[in-house]
Amino acid sequence: MLSRNSVVLTKLKPPRLSRRILHRSRVTQTLLAALEFRLTIVQASAGYGKSTALADLADRGFNLAWYHLSSEDSDPIIFFLHLIHTCKSFIFQPESLITQLENQSGNLAEINWPGLIDELVNRMAVTLSEPVLLILDDYHQIAEAAHVSPLIDRF
């Protein structure tokens, strides 16, 4: 049974910024240019400041939804539940999506994943009036997840 307790809320918040953060205006401007595209991938080795630069956008008041991924998110139910909660503030009736998932969550193979993803996307399309950056931080943790990759591809 899914519940609100299944969601780790700290995964849905950008990391706290240090007071000593180095604001990099050129990087910020490049990231803001991402609003012109449907998908932008920010990729670099560990320690280059990707998460910090993206969290800086949230700190500056830009519309941003954050999901910090880890290996346990390779479970599609856990992934989708967190994705719904990530988008909760800007989609219509998010609880009904969770109910739909609960009603189908007996067997992974029987869940209508394309239908659930399409419903989430449709609700975003209806509700959003301005761009929102959806950050899937540390995506490499689940990039090879057999059940989650098709969900992200569809999304």
Side-chain angles (χ1 to χ4, degrees):
M1 179 55 95
L2 301 173
S3 74
R4 294 182 201 281
N5 296 334
S6 302
V7 176
V8 180
L9 296 176
T10 56
K11 295 172 78 106
L12 308 180
K13 297 183 183 295
R16 264 188 215 175
L17 296 175
S18 165
R19 284 184 257 173
R20 299 176 294 163
I21 182 175
L22 174 62
H23 296 281
R24 299 177 356 198
S25 59
R26 195 169 118 213
V27 171
T28 300
Q29 291 307 313
T30 301
L31 290 173
L32 291 176
L35 295 173
E36 300 298 320
F37 300 95
R38 295 178 75 181
L39 173 68
T40 300
I41 298 173
V42 180
Q43 182 176 353
S45 298
Y48 274 78
K50 301 174 297 295
S51 297
T52 301
L54 291 165
D56 188 31
L57 291 179
D59 200 45
R60 293 173 185 234
F62 289 95
N63 287 333
L64 190 130
W66 196 280
Y67 181 6
H68 178 82
L69 296 156
S70 61
S71 58
E72 65 237 11
D73 297 300
S74 57
D75 176 319
I77 292 173
I78 297 296
F79 172 80
F80 191 71
L81 184 61
H82 279 82
L83 187 61
I84 291 169
H85 279 273
T86 301
C87 301
K88 192 174 185 174
S89 65
F90 56 84
I91 60 171
F92 179 68
Q93 296 181 336
E95 298 301 326
S96 65
L97 279 171
I98 295 169
T99 301
Q100 286 180 44
L101 180 60
E102 285 176 332
N103 292 339
Q104 297 183 39
S105 65
N107 179 350
L108 278 181
E110 295 175 6
I111 295 175
N112 179 9
W113 290 114
L116 287 170
I117 292 293
D118 291 352
E119 183 65 25
L120 176 60
V121 169
N122 287 340
R123 290 178 189 211
M124 292 168 99
V126 167
T127 309
L128 291 173
S129 60
E130 57 187 56
V132 172
L133 292 172
L134 173 62
I135 310 297
L136 300 177
D137 192 25
D138 285 338
Y139 175 74
H140 67 278
Q141 296 283 344
I142 64 161
E144 302 302 319
H147 294 293
V148 175
S149 291
L151 300 181
I152 291 175
D153 288 346
R154 180 130 189 142
F155 185 70

